[in-house]
Amino acid sequence: MPLPPALAAKLAKRGILQQSDTNVSTAAKTATKSAEVRESEAKLAEETEAIKEKEEKLLEIKLKGYDSCPNKWNPYHSCTPFCSEKWGEGKSVPDPEYERRRQKMLMVYPLPDGWQDIYDPGTGRHYYWCLESDKVSWFPPGHPKSCPVVAAAKVRENISNQNNSQEKDTDVEMGCDNEVRDMEPSRKPQNFVKDLRDKHQEDRNKTKGKGRVKFNDLDPMDPASYSDIPRGSWSTGLATDEAKSGVDATASGPLFQMRPYPNPGAVLRANTNSKE
């Protein structure tokens, strides 16, 4: 173990330690430091490379999805570790009945040159890939239902690139606006705080219902909206004399006691008259 520089200098000054020994110890210490620096740099480089590989793998999973996920064909679906946990390894072997029908279909609609069938463990089906146009289809190109389209991974990649470009443009525009505002302080309103307070109060009024239109406002088809006719109510215009219910209004009590039931004397008189 090398001696500390201060101790080595004192021992060399007293003649206990030779200068060559001091130089050797210093050189050994420098070599040890250099080895430690190289080791830390190598470790840092390995960690950086591992992080970069992990990010690339996550990006690839985000664009292409997990092989076992049946939803990766949806261009607006982004696979997460939950997809891998839920679907596992998917369907490693296709269904025998499906394979029999597929072989029968390929006998009628064989694949032309430049096309390749690939098994998808997520859906348990084969899709057909055109090597020239890089398009895919669930049916052979000669099948009536065949519709070659761009793969979902390509669509997701285009959407991601478009969103990234829009975010960059937005950041640039916001930066330019901030610079203009900083250069032109006159653009800032004098009553900025008052405007914010008024807007906050307006939002609160809308939340409470003060700023909303009532559902029973005047109908534009109502004659009262375009003439001098007074606005009426629901009972306006009804013939009260003709709409008689037969309820005995002189009777007291709840409404069910006001029903026009005949009294016992009227029932007896009606029975007597019927017998005669």
Side-chain angles (χ1 to χ4, degrees):
M1 181 177 177
L3 296 175
L7 180 60
K10 289 183 178 180
L11 294 177
K13 187 176 181 181
R14 295 179 181 179
I16 301 175
L17 187 64
Q18 299 295 330
Q19 188 67 24
S20 59
D21 298 339
T22 306
N23 296 337
V24 170
S25 62
T26 305
K29 187 175 182 180
T30 305
T32 304
K33 285 187 177 181
S34 301
E36 292 177 354
V37 169
R38 285 195 298 270
E39 185 178 356
S40 61
E41 290 178 353
K43 188 176 181 181
L44 181 62
E46 291 178 359
E47 292 178 354
T48 306
E49 188 68 21
I51 293 173
K52 187 177 179 181
E53 290 179 358
K54 186 177 180 180
E55 291 178 352
E56 291 178 355
K57 186 176 180 180
L58 291 176
L59 180 60
E60 183 180 0
I61 292 173
K62 182 180 179 181
L63 296 178
K64 295 184 178 180
Y66 288 99
D67 294 337
S68 59
C69 180
N71 300 318
K72 63 178 177 294
W73 299 109
N74 182 1
Y76 299 100
H77 171 76
S78 297
C79 283
T80 60
F82 173 77
C83 298
S84 177
E85 296 175 1
K86 179 176 178 60
W87 304 110
E89 296 181 358
K91 302 176 182 178
S92 57
V93 180
D95 184 57
E97 179 64 20
Y98 159 75
E99 185 63 23
R100 184 187 65 80
R101 289 187 283 107
R102 191 180 77 89
Q103 294 297 335
K104 187 176 179 180
M105 179 183 64
L106 289 177
M107 292 177 63
V108 180
Y109 306 103
L111 290 177
D113 295 337
W115 284 80
Q116 183 179 358
D117 58 337
I118 302 175
Y119 177 70
D120 174 39
T123 58
R125 295 178 55 187
H126 287 77
Y127 66 93
Y128 304 93
W129 174 36
C130 179
L131 302 177
E132 296 179 0
S133 61
D134 201 18
K135 291 186 177 181
V136 294
S137 174
W138 289 110
F139 294 94
H143 198 279
K145 294 184 179 180
S146 176
C147 183
V149 295
V150 181
K154 293 288 183 181
V155 177
R156 269 194 294 269
E157 185 177 359
N158 295 336
I159 293 174
S160 178
N161 295 336
Q162 184 177 1
N163 293 337
N164 293 336
S165 61
Q166 288 179 357
E167 290 179 358
K168 290 181 181 179
D169 296 340
T170 305
D171 294 340
V172 171
E173 291 177 0
M174 291 180 64
C176 294
D177 292 342
N178 293 334
E179 291 177 1
V180 171
R181 289 194 183 94
D182 294 339
M183 290 187 295
E184 300 179 8
S186 59
R187 292 183 59 183
K188 188 174 181 180
Q190 300 296 331
N191 53 353
F192 182 70
V193 178
K194 184 177 180 300
D195 291 344
L196 286 180
R197 190 183 298 111
D198 295 342
K199 187 176 183 303
H200 180 63
Q201 185 64 30
E202 182 180 355
D203 294 341
R204 290 185 62 186
N205 293 340
K206 287 183 179 180
T207 306
K208 293 179 180 179
K210 296 182 179 179
R212 293 182 297 179
V213 179
K214 296 181 179 180
F215 68 92
N216 60 347
D217 278 354
L218 186 60
D219 188 356
M221 300 299 294
D222 193 336
S225 63
Y226 53 83
S227 64
D228 298 336
I229 298 175
R231 184 175 182 179
S233 61
W234 287 104
S235 61
T236 303
L238 295 177
T240 56
D241 297 336
E242 298 178 1
K244 294 183 178 180
S245 60
V247 176
D248 186 5
T250 60
S252 61
L255 182 61
F256 71 91
Q257 295 180 359
M258 299 182 185
R259 293 178 181 176
Y261 293 122
N263 54 31
V267 173
L268 293 175
R269 283 191 295 272
N271 292 336
T272 304
N273 293 334
S274 63
K275 289 179 181 180
E276 293 178 355

